[in-house]
C-alpha cells in the first residue's frame, strides 16, 4: 500500500481566501479535515489488522515469507508514527490558539 500524497490544488487554495467565489468557510474546511483524519485512522487500523493476520499465519506455519510480514509491520509502524505526529501538531496548534489574547 502506497502513501497517498496530500496535494493542495489551485481550486482548494482559492477556497481559503475569504470573499472569493470558491470560499467554503471554516466549517466546510473542518469537515474536510475531519474526513481526512478519519480516513487515515481507518487505513491505519486496516494495516494493523493485516499485520495481526500475517503474524497469526506465520506463527501457525501457514506463511514462510518473513519479509512480507516485516514489510507490513514496518508500514503499520510508520503509519502509527505519522498519525501520532499529526495529532501532536494539532494539539500544539490548539494550545497556541488558546494562548492568544484578545
Amino acid at each position: 500500500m502506497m502513501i497517498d500524497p496530500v496535494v493542495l490544488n489551485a481550486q482548494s487554495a482559492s477556497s481559503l481566501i475569504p470573499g472569493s467565489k470558491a470560499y467554503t468557510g471554516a466549517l466546510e474546511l473542518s469537515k474536510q479535515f475531519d474526513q481526512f483524519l478519519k480516513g487515515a485512522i481507518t487505513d491505519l487500523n486496516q494495516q494493523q489488522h493485516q499485520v495481526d493476520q500475517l503474524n497469526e499465519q506465520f506463527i501457525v506455519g501457514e506463511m514462510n515469507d518473513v519479509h512480507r510480514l516485516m514489510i507490513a509491520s514496518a508500514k503499520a509502524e510508520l503509519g502509527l508514527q505519522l498519525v501520532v505526529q499529526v495529532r501532536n501538531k494539532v494539539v500544539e496548534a490548539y494550545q497556541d490558539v488558546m494562548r492568544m489574547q484578545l
Side-chain angles (χ1 to χ4, degrees):
M1 172 181 258
M2 302 252 332
I3 297 175
D4 296 328
V6 177
V7 178
L8 183 65
N9 58 26
Q11 181 182 9
S12 62
S14 66
S15 69
L16 299 174
I17 302 170
S20 69
K21 188 174 182 180
Y23 181 68
T24 57
L27 182 60
E28 182 64 30
L29 289 174
S30 67
K31 287 180 183 178
Q32 291 173 0
F33 185 68
D34 181 51
Q35 290 172 352
F36 171 75
L37 284 180
K38 285 181 182 178
I41 291 172
T42 301
D43 290 345
L44 178 63
N45 193 29
Q46 289 173 351
Q47 287 178 347
Q48 292 289 347
H49 285 298
Q50 181 185 12
V51 169
D52 290 342
Q53 289 174 349
L54 291 175
N55 274 332
E56 290 176 15
Q57 290 175 358
F58 185 73
I59 289 171
V60 297
E62 294 176 0
M63 183 180 74
N64 295 327
D65 188 10
V66 71
H67 297 97
R68 184 174 163 204
L69 172 62
M70 294 304 296
I71 290 170
S73 179
K75 282 183 181 180
E77 182 180 357
L78 285 173
L80 180 62
Q81 289 175 2
L82 176 66
V83 169
V84 168
Q85 289 302 317
V86 169
R87 179 199 56 112
N88 290 344
K89 289 294 182 180
V90 168
V91 168
E92 183 180 328
Y94 174 77
Q95 289 173 344
D96 287 345
V97 169
M98 294 307 293
R99 282 190 219 113
M100 288 183 187
Q101 294 182 3
L102 298 175

